[in-house]
Amino acid sequence: MATGSNQQPSIDRCRPGAAELISVLPRGTRHERSFAYWADKQLAPQGLWWWRPLSSAVVGVSTTAMGVLLSLGFKRVVVEDLHKLTDIIEDPLRSRPVITIANHESTLDDPIMWGVMPMRMRWNPDYSRWTLGARELLYKNPVLNGFFALGQTIPTVRGDGIYQLAVEIGLRKLAENKWVHVFPEGIVNQSGRMLRFKWGVGRLIMESERTPVVIPMYFRGMKEVMPLRQKVPLPHPNPFKSELFLRVGDAVDFTAQIREWKCAREKLSTVEQRERLDERVRIEIVDQLWGTLDKLKAESAPELANNIVNLGIS
């Protein structure tokens, strides 16, 4: 895997970093204090002796429960090319972080989709994703704040743009060589046609200290299990009817593109010129990702989904 030039570009901005964004979070209520506490702890779990065992328990129980749900609640679970993800995540010599992207069919896509992961990976937080999840849906009270923080879910505020706290935490995780998952459509989309991707994933790729390996994933079957606008927002898996299909695509390497961007950036003399270049490259990367995932979707026709896997539930 080529590493290329992995020095982070000099980003001309007076925007606050993660620590500064956390320092200005409101702390008037118990919920607000709890949220600020866990957001701060997500920045430095490596230095907390208690973080790893608690995170391992939350991640392990959650993914194992999702594996059981897939086995018992679905008539058929089809997974293609999962090794394209697991081989990279488990590689002991991996020197670059990983970003996975996927379409977004329901509010339960994460964590249900990770129920397909091998049992050997489920209890190791190093082999689990950090995912950007909607703060308003997940971080609702002090108990849930702790649960989702330990479950490696980064609180994201829809509409707050690419310079919000969630993206800063995501960049910190990438700097730690972690795996970050993004639903780049930004919202649940059950229309059958992918929405244009948000720019946050472009910033994660461009400003990571080491250019991430990007792996696209396409799945279907959750919009029937968890449809939008139902009176009671509960999943309806059907062991006699429900089917879930997931396919992992080939890794995308942006090393050369990021190198060219950095070289071009160094030749520009003003902040405005560099910001225009940054935006153009960010759009190019996001559009390329959209095209990659749309192609994976087109290649994943229902008649091709016939490689049923054993989820290894024990």
Side-chain angles (χ1 to χ4, degrees), residues 82-103:
L82 186 62
H83 67 92
K84 292 180 179 180
L85 172 63
T86 57
D87 287 353
I88 291 176
I89 296 300
E90 293 185 288
D91 184 357
L93 301 180
R94 178 166 60 85
S95 61
R96 294 163 58 186
V98 174
I99 293 177
T100 50
I101 63 168
N103 56 308

Side-chain angles (χ1 to χ4, degrees), residues 27 29-39 141-143 145-146:
R27 290 173 168 79
T29 67
R30 182 185 176 192
H31 170 56
E32 290 172 342
R33 291 191 297 272
S34 168
F35 177 82
Y37 172 84
W38 287 108
N141 57 57
V143 173
N145 291 348

Side-chain angles (χ1 to χ4, degrees), residues 2 16 47 58 61 74 79-80 96-97 114 119 130 145 160 186 214 239 259 264 266-267 293 302 308 312:
V58 172
V61 169
F74 287 75
V79 181
E80 292 188 349
R96 294 163 58 186
W114 307 122
M119 184 65 74
W130 284 81
N145 291 348
D160 269 15
V214 183
R259 185 191 301 118
E266 291 175 354
K267 299 175 183 178
L293 191 54
I308 304 175

